[in-house]
Amino acid sequence: MAEWSARSRREGRSVGFVPTMGALHEGHLALVAEARRSHPSVVCSIFVNPLQFNNLNDLEHYPRQLEADRALLLKTGCDALFAPQADGLFAGFVPTTYSLGAIASHWEGPSRPGHFQGVVNVVERLFHYVRPDAAYFGEKDRQQLTLIRHIAEQERWPVRIVPCPTVREADGLAMSSRNARLNAKDRQKATILYRALTVARELGFQHPIPAVEQAVAATLAQEPDVVLDYFGIADHDTLEPLTQWGDRSMAVALIAAQVGPVRLIDNLTLVR
Ligand code: PAF
């Protein structure tokens, strides 16, 4: 893979990279399309990374459909698919304990111990083999994106991290490979996450944060089967939890909840 990227660059074609865990949907394809806009060579990886699953059941049930994904990528302007096996990707590899800083200490961090170390370690391995000029990450996984930007800067990885907007279904549900595991009833209930976030967006900056949180809680109470893990409002850049708006002009509302068999996350940017 590294040789393919090196040749591409030698021939004057920069490399855009879309790392994924497969079960591709429109959200992934939008990342490929965005990479294609700036790079003559586009690589996508598919690897279900065991290091980032703190829940064995989630790892076992994570959707896998390599052949369908390959066919989809062929149609969407991706030039190369990197789909390594774990023993190849991690050959001779000793995991690093990265200094993740405060970004990882909230939201997904406490709920999924070890998750972000697993993400950063695999992203380092993928970058090592793919050697991209730029890598494209969805805002849907906002904390992952913020953290990878931070680590790339801290570790001086020679790659530009490009954020891309969340792609949503018509009813607002953020696209996610895990949505495929929702039955029809749970799929309907899952829309409450986006509805809760839009309440936060409507009330944000107009009312104190505790009042916004109360309104969101009232919205979530409409779907008692959806088990909230967290809802909160954070600084746009650091994701530090906020109790007051201060003088900032942007913030982020973040949510995670269990819907049937699936834990879903989502977020929305709030603008003053
Ligand atoms: O966002 C994902 O799909 C994964 O966390 C990533 C970045 C491919 C690392 O396994």
PDB file of all heavy atoms in Angstrom, residues 38-62:
ATOM      1  N   SER A  38     -10.207  16.871  -4.013  1.00  0.00           N
ATOM      2  CA  SER A  38      -8.881  17.483  -3.841  1.00  0.00           C
ATOM      3  C   SER A  38      -7.724  16.580  -4.227  1.00  0.00           C
ATOM      4  O   SER A  38      -6.584  17.041  -4.270  1.00  0.00           O
ATOM      5  CB  SER A  38      -8.670  17.900  -2.386  1.00  0.00           C
ATOM      6  OG  SER A  38      -9.689  18.742  -1.966  1.00  0.00           O
ATOM      7  N   HIS A  39      -7.977  15.278  -4.446  1.00  0.00           N
ATOM      8  CA  HIS A  39      -6.857  14.355  -4.664  1.00  0.00           C
ATOM      9  C   HIS A  39      -7.100  13.453  -5.866  1.00  0.00           C
ATOM     10  O   HIS A  39      -8.125  12.769  -5.944  1.00  0.00           O
ATOM     11  CB  HIS A  39      -6.640  13.488  -3.419  1.00  0.00           C
ATOM     12  CG  HIS A  39      -6.376  14.304  -2.209  1.00  0.00           C
ATOM     13  ND1 HIS A  39      -5.143  14.857  -1.919  1.00  0.00           N
ATOM     14  CD2 HIS A  39      -7.208  14.723  -1.225  1.00  0.00           C
ATOM     15  CE1 HIS A  39      -5.231  15.559  -0.820  1.00  0.00           C
ATOM     16  NE2 HIS A  39      -6.468  15.511  -0.375  1.00  0.00           N
ATOM     17  N   PRO A  40      -6.116  13.390  -6.779  1.00  0.00           N
ATOM     18  CA  PRO A  40      -6.248  12.491  -7.928  1.00  0.00           C
ATOM     19  C   PRO A  40      -6.242  11.019  -7.506  1.00  0.00           C
ATOM     20  O   PRO A  40      -6.760  10.173  -8.225  1.00  0.00           O
ATOM     21  CB  PRO A  40      -5.013  12.807  -8.778  1.00  0.00           C
ATOM     22  CG  PRO A  40      -4.511  14.122  -8.284  1.00  0.00           C
ATOM     23  CD  PRO A  40      -4.920  14.245  -6.853  1.00  0.00           C
ATOM     24  N   SER A  41      -5.631  10.699  -6.353  1.00  0.00           N
ATOM     25  CA  SER A  41      -5.648   9.308  -5.883  1.00  0.00           C
ATOM     26  C   SER A  41      -6.404   9.236  -4.564  1.00  0.00           C
ATOM     27  O   SER A  41      -6.092   9.970  -3.622  1.00  0.00           O
ATOM     28  CB  SER A  41      -4.225   8.794  -5.655  1.00  0.00           C
ATOM     29  OG  SER A  41      -3.555   8.684  -6.879  1.00  0.00           O
ATOM     30  N   VAL A  42      -7.384   8.337  -4.529  1.00  0.00           N
ATOM     31  CA  VAL A  42      -8.196   8.188  -3.311  1.00  0.00           C
ATOM     32  C   VAL A  42      -8.152   6.726  -2.851  1.00  0.00           C
ATOM     33  O   VAL A  42      -8.409   5.810  -3.622  1.00  0.00           O
ATOM     34  CB  VAL A  42      -9.656   8.629  -3.561  1.00  0.00           C
ATOM     35  CG1 VAL A  42     -10.514   8.356  -2.338  1.00  0.00           C
ATOM     36  CG2 VAL A  42      -9.704  10.109  -3.918  1.00  0.00           C
ATOM     37  N   VAL A  43      -7.803   6.555  -1.581  1.00  0.00           N
ATOM     38  CA  VAL A  43      -7.743   5.228  -0.968  1.00  0.00           C
ATOM     39  C   VAL A  43      -8.782   5.153   0.135  1.00  0.00           C
ATOM     40  O   VAL A  43      -8.941   6.108   0.899  1.00  0.00           O
ATOM     41  CB  VAL A  43      -6.377   4.983  -0.277  1.00  0.00           C
ATOM     42  CG1 VAL A  43      -6.278   3.540   0.231  1.00  0.00           C
ATOM     43  CG2 VAL A  43      -5.233   5.310  -1.173  1.00  0.00           C
ATOM     44  N   CYS A  44      -9.449   4.011   0.224  1.00  0.00           N
ATOM     45  CA  CYS A  44     -10.360   3.778   1.342  1.00  0.00           C
ATOM     46  C   CYS A  44      -9.864   2.518   2.062  1.00  0.00           C
ATOM     47  O   CYS A  44      -9.430   1.571   1.407  1.00  0.00           O
ATOM     48  CB  CYS A  44     -11.761   3.564   0.777  1.00  0.00           C
ATOM     49  SG  CYS A  44     -13.013   3.323   2.023  1.00  0.00           S
ATOM     50  N   SER A  45      -9.887   2.526   3.386  1.00  0.00           N
ATOM     51  CA  SER A  45      -9.547   1.291   4.103  1.00  0.00           C
ATOM     52  C   SER A  45     -10.793   0.733   4.766  1.00  0.00           C
ATOM     53  O   SER A  45     -11.696   1.490   5.153  1.00  0.00           O
ATOM     54  CB  SER A  45      -8.455   1.528   5.143  1.00  0.00           C
ATOM     55  OG  SER A  45      -8.941   2.338   6.185  1.00  0.00           O
ATOM     56  N   ILE A  46     -10.818  -0.584   4.853  1.00  0.00           N
ATOM     57  CA  ILE A  46     -11.884  -1.267   5.595  1.00  0.00           C
ATOM     58  C   ILE A  46     -11.192  -2.209   6.564  1.00  0.00           C
ATOM     59  O   ILE A  46     -10.482  -3.142   6.157  1.00  0.00           O
ATOM     60  CB  ILE A  46     -12.809  -2.059   4.648  1.00  0.00           C
ATOM     61  CG1 ILE A  46     -13.558  -1.077   3.731  1.00  0.00           C
ATOM     62  CG2 ILE A  46     -13.798  -2.911   5.461  1.00  0.00           C
ATOM     63  CD1 ILE A  46     -14.506  -1.734   2.755  1.00  0.00           C
ATOM     64  N   PHE A  47     -11.364  -1.927   7.830  1.00  0.00           N
ATOM     65  CA  PHE A  47     -10.772  -2.792   8.860  1.00  0.00           C
ATOM     66  C   PHE A  47     -11.583  -2.620  10.133  1.00  0.00           C
ATOM     67  O   PHE A  47     -11.691  -1.510  10.665  1.00  0.00           O
ATOM     68  CB  PHE A  47      -9.302  -2.406   9.106  1.00  0.00           C
ATOM     69  CG  PHE A  47      -8.658  -3.242  10.176  1.00  0.00           C
ATOM     70  CD1 PHE A  47      -8.423  -4.597   9.973  1.00  0.00           C
ATOM     71  CD2 PHE A  47      -8.303  -2.687  11.394  1.00  0.00           C
ATOM     72  CE1 PHE A  47      -7.849  -5.390  10.975  1.00  0.00           C
ATOM     73  CE2 PHE A  47      -7.728  -3.461  12.398  1.00  0.00           C
ATOM     74  CZ  PHE A  47      -7.499  -4.813  12.186  1.00  0.00           C
ATOM     75  N   VAL A  48     -12.203  -3.703  10.596  1.00  0.00           N
ATOM     76  CA  VAL A  48     -12.965  -3.651  11.852  1.00  0.00           C
ATOM     77  C   VAL A  48     -11.940  -3.840  12.976  1.00  0.00           C
ATOM     78  O   VAL A  48     -11.423  -4.937  13.180  1.00  0.00           O
ATOM     79  CB  VAL A  48     -14.073  -4.724  11.883  1.00  0.00           C
ATOM     80  CG1 VAL A  48     -14.864  -4.617  13.184  1.00  0.00           C
ATOM     81  CG2 VAL A  48     -15.013  -4.553  10.691  1.00  0.00           C
ATOM     82  N   ASN A  49     -11.640  -2.744  13.636  1.00  0.00           N
ATOM     83  CA  ASN A  49     -10.490  -2.681  14.540  1.00  0.00           C
ATOM     84  C   ASN A  49     -10.830  -3.209  15.934  1.00  0.00           C
ATOM     85  O   ASN A  49     -11.494  -2.517  16.705  1.00  0.00           O
ATOM     86  CB  ASN A  49     -10.057  -1.206  14.624  1.00  0.00           C
ATOM     87  CG  ASN A  49      -9.017  -0.983  15.694  1.00  0.00           C
ATOM     88  OD1 ASN A  49      -8.212  -1.858  15.968  1.00  0.00           O
ATOM     89  ND2 ASN A  49      -9.036   0.202  16.297  1.00  0.00           N
ATOM     90  N   PRO A  50     -10.336  -4.398  16.278  1.00  0.00           N
ATOM     91  CA  PRO A  50     -10.697  -4.955  17.592  1.00  0.00           C
ATOM     92  C   PRO A  50     -10.225  -4.076  18.749  1.00  0.00           C
ATOM     93  O   PRO A  50     -10.847  -4.085  19.820  1.00  0.00           O
ATOM     94  CB  PRO A  50      -9.992  -6.322  17.616  1.00  0.00           C
ATOM     95  CG  PRO A  50      -9.002  -6.309  16.509  1.00  0.00           C
ATOM     96  CD  PRO A  50      -9.420  -5.279  15.509  1.00  0.00           C
ATOM     97  N   LEU A  51      -9.147  -3.312  18.542  1.00  0.00           N
ATOM     98  CA  LEU A  51      -8.593  -2.505  19.643  1.00  0.00           C
ATOM     99  C   LEU A  51      -9.568  -1.444  20.148  1.00  0.00           C
ATOM    100  O   LEU A  51      -9.429  -0.960  21.263  1.00  0.00           O
ATOM    101  CB  LEU A  51      -7.302  -1.782  19.200  1.00  0.00           C
ATOM    102  CG  LEU A  51      -6.104  -2.609  18.760  1.00  0.00           C
ATOM    103  CD1 LEU A  51      -4.938  -1.679  18.460  1.00  0.00           C
ATOM    104  CD2 LEU A  51      -5.725  -3.609  19.826  1.00  0.00           C
ATOM    105  N   GLN A  52     -10.531  -1.038  19.331  1.00  0.00           N
ATOM    106  CA  GLN A  52     -11.380   0.081  19.749  1.00  0.00           C
ATOM    107  C   GLN A  52     -12.748  -0.360  20.278  1.00  0.00           C
ATOM    108  O   GLN A  52     -13.575   0.477  20.596  1.00  0.00           O
ATOM    109  CB  GLN A  52     -11.537   1.098  18.616  1.00  0.00           C
ATOM    110  CG  GLN A  52     -12.392   0.659  17.451  1.00  0.00           C
ATOM    111  CD  GLN A  52     -12.323   1.671  16.315  1.00  0.00           C
ATOM    112  OE1 GLN A  52     -11.343   1.717  15.589  1.00  0.00           O
ATOM    113  NE2 GLN A  52     -13.357   2.488  16.149  1.00  0.00           N
ATOM    114  N   PHE A  53     -12.951  -1.684  20.361  1.00  0.00           N
ATOM    115  CA  PHE A  53     -14.235  -2.184  20.882  1.00  0.00           C
ATOM    116  C   PHE A  53     -14.051  -2.571  22.342  1.00  0.00           C
ATOM    117  O   PHE A  53     -13.297  -3.499  22.649  1.00  0.00           O
ATOM    118  CB  PHE A  53     -14.708  -3.405  20.082  1.00  0.00           C
ATOM    119  CG  PHE A  53     -15.258  -3.043  18.735  1.00  0.00           C
ATOM    120  CD1 PHE A  53     -14.407  -2.818  17.664  1.00  0.00           C
ATOM    121  CD2 PHE A  53     -16.627  -2.927  18.530  1.00  0.00           C
ATOM    122  CE1 PHE A  53     -14.901  -2.473  16.417  1.00  0.00           C
ATOM    123  CE2 PHE A  53     -17.135  -2.580  17.282  1.00  0.00           C
ATOM    124  CZ  PHE A  53     -16.268  -2.349  16.227  1.00  0.00           C
ATOM    125  N   ASN A  54     -14.735  -1.857  23.225  1.00  0.00           N
ATOM    126  CA  ASN A  54     -14.654  -2.247  24.638  1.00  0.00           C
ATOM    127  C   ASN A  54     -15.782  -3.223  24.966  1.00  0.00           C
ATOM    128  O   ASN A  54     -15.878  -3.693  26.084  1.00  0.00           O
ATOM    129  CB  ASN A  54     -14.710  -1.010  25.539  1.00  0.00           C
ATOM    130  CG  ASN A  54     -15.958  -0.201  25.297  1.00  0.00           C
ATOM    131  OD1 ASN A  54     -16.280   0.100  24.155  1.00  0.00           O
ATOM    132  ND2 ASN A  54     -16.678   0.131  26.342  1.00  0.00           N
ATOM    133  N   ASN A  55     -16.619  -3.516  23.952  1.00  0.00           N
ATOM    134  CA  ASN A  55     -17.758  -4.402  24.162  1.00  0.00           C
ATOM    135  C   ASN A  55     -17.684  -5.520  23.111  1.00  0.00           C
ATOM    136  O   ASN A  55     -17.838  -5.270  21.909  1.00  0.00           O
ATOM    137  CB  ASN A  55     -19.036  -3.551  24.019  1.00  0.00           C
ATOM    138  CG  ASN A  55     -20.297  -4.372  24.116  1.00  0.00           C
ATOM    139  OD1 ASN A  55     -20.307  -5.571  23.845  1.00  0.00           O
ATOM    140  ND2 ASN A  55     -21.375  -3.711  24.500  1.00  0.00           N
ATOM    141  N   LEU A  56     -17.418  -6.730  23.580  1.00  0.00           N
ATOM    142  CA  LEU A  56     -17.198  -7.866  22.685  1.00  0.00           C
ATOM    143  C   LEU A  56     -18.420  -8.142  21.802  1.00  0.00           C
ATOM    144  O   LEU A  56     -18.302  -8.468  20.619  1.00  0.00           O
ATOM    145  CB  LEU A  56     -16.865  -9.107  23.523  1.00  0.00           C
ATOM    146  CG  LEU A  56     -16.190 -10.241  22.771  1.00  0.00           C
ATOM    147  CD1 LEU A  56     -14.883  -9.771  22.142  1.00  0.00           C
ATOM    148  CD2 LEU A  56     -15.952 -11.424  23.706  1.00  0.00           C
ATOM    149  N   ASN A  57     -19.605  -7.964  22.397  1.00  0.00           N
ATOM    150  CA  ASN A  57     -20.848  -8.191  21.663  1.00  0.00           C
ATOM    151  C   ASN A  57     -20.944  -7.227  20.466  1.00  0.00           C
ATOM    152  O   ASN A  57     -21.336  -7.602  19.356  1.00  0.00           O
ATOM    153  CB  ASN A  57     -22.021  -7.989  22.641  1.00  0.00           C
ATOM    154  CG  ASN A  57     -23.338  -8.346  21.994  1.00  0.00           C
ATOM    155  OD1 ASN A  57     -23.465  -9.406  21.394  1.00  0.00           O
ATOM    156  ND2 ASN A  57     -24.299  -7.450  22.104  1.00  0.00           N
ATOM    157  N   ASP A  58     -20.554  -5.980  20.702  1.00  0.00           N
ATOM    158  CA  ASP A  58     -20.571  -4.965  19.638  1.00  0.00           C
ATOM    159  C   ASP A  58     -19.595  -5.361  18.523  1.00  0.00           C
ATOM    160  O   ASP A  58     -19.925  -5.284  17.338  1.00  0.00           O
ATOM    161  CB  ASP A  58     -20.192  -3.609  20.262  1.00  0.00           C
ATOM    162  CG  ASP A  58     -20.430  -2.443  19.321  1.00  0.00           C
ATOM    163  OD1 ASP A  58     -21.265  -2.565  18.405  1.00  0.00           O
ATOM    164  OD2 ASP A  58     -19.778  -1.393  19.516  1.00  0.00           O
ATOM    165  N   LEU A  59     -18.426  -5.842  18.906  1.00  0.00           N
ATOM    166  CA  LEU A  59     -17.423  -6.259  17.904  1.00  0.00           C
ATOM    167  C   LEU A  59     -17.953  -7.435  17.080  1.00  0.00           C
ATOM    168  O   LEU A  59     -17.864  -7.438  15.852  1.00  0.00           O
ATOM    169  CB  LEU A  59     -16.108  -6.639  18.610  1.00  0.00           C
ATOM    170  CG  LEU A  59     -15.020  -7.266  17.740  1.00  0.00           C
ATOM    171  CD1 LEU A  59     -14.566  -6.308  16.633  1.00  0.00           C
ATOM    172  CD2 LEU A  59     -13.805  -7.667  18.578  1.00  0.00           C
ATOM    173  N   GLU A  60     -18.531  -8.428  17.773  1.00  0.00           N
ATOM    174  CA  GLU A  60     -19.020  -9.618  17.070  1.00  0.00           C
ATOM    175  C   GLU A  60     -20.141  -9.276  16.095  1.00  0.00           C
ATOM    176  O   GLU A  60     -20.237  -9.842  15.022  1.00  0.00           O
ATOM    177  CB  GLU A  60     -19.526 -10.658  18.073  1.00  0.00           C
ATOM    178  CG  GLU A  60     -18.391 -11.510  18.621  1.00  0.00           C
ATOM    179  CD  GLU A  60     -18.782 -12.304  19.854  1.00  0.00           C
ATOM    180  OE1 GLU A  60     -19.986 -12.320  20.204  1.00  0.00           O
ATOM    181  OE2 GLU A  60     -17.866 -12.882  20.457  1.00  0.00           O
ATOM    182  N   HIS A  61     -20.993  -8.321  16.491  1.00  0.00           N
ATOM    183  CA  HIS A  61     -22.153  -8.011  15.649  1.00  0.00           C
ATOM    184  C   HIS A  61     -21.908  -6.858  14.678  1.00  0.00           C
ATOM    185  O   HIS A  61     -22.816  -6.460  13.954  1.00  0.00           O
ATOM    186  CB  HIS A  61     -23.367  -7.690  16.531  1.00  0.00           C
ATOM    187  CG  HIS A  61     -23.892  -8.926  17.197  1.00  0.00           C
ATOM    188  ND1 HIS A  61     -23.542  -9.267  18.473  1.00  0.00           N
ATOM    189  CD2 HIS A  61     -24.693  -9.909  16.738  1.00  0.00           C
ATOM    190  CE1 HIS A  61     -24.130 -10.418  18.785  1.00  0.00           C
ATOM    191  NE2 HIS A  61     -24.833 -10.824  17.750  1.00  0.00           N
ATOM    192  N   TYR A  62     -20.704  -6.302  14.690  1.00  0.00           N
ATOM    193  CA  TYR A  62     -20.461  -5.179  13.784  1.00  0.00           C
ATOM    194  C   TYR A  62     -20.652  -5.677  12.345  1.00  0.00           C
ATOM    195  O   TYR A  62     -20.089  -6.707  11.963  1.00  0.00           O
ATOM    196  CB  TYR A  62     -19.046  -4.609  13.984  1.00  0.00           C
ATOM    197  CG  TYR A  62     -18.958  -3.218  13.420  1.00  0.00           C
ATOM    198  CD1 TYR A  62     -19.329  -2.128  14.187  1.00  0.00           C
ATOM    199  CD2 TYR A  62     -18.568  -3.008  12.102  1.00  0.00           C
ATOM    200  CE1 TYR A  62     -19.312  -0.848  13.661  1.00  0.00           C
ATOM    201  CE2 TYR A  62     -18.547  -1.728  11.570  1.00  0.00           C
ATOM    202  CZ  TYR A  62     -18.918  -0.654  12.359  1.00  0.00           C
ATOM    203  OH  TYR A  62     -18.909   0.605  11.833  1.00  0.00           O
TER     204      TYR A  62
END
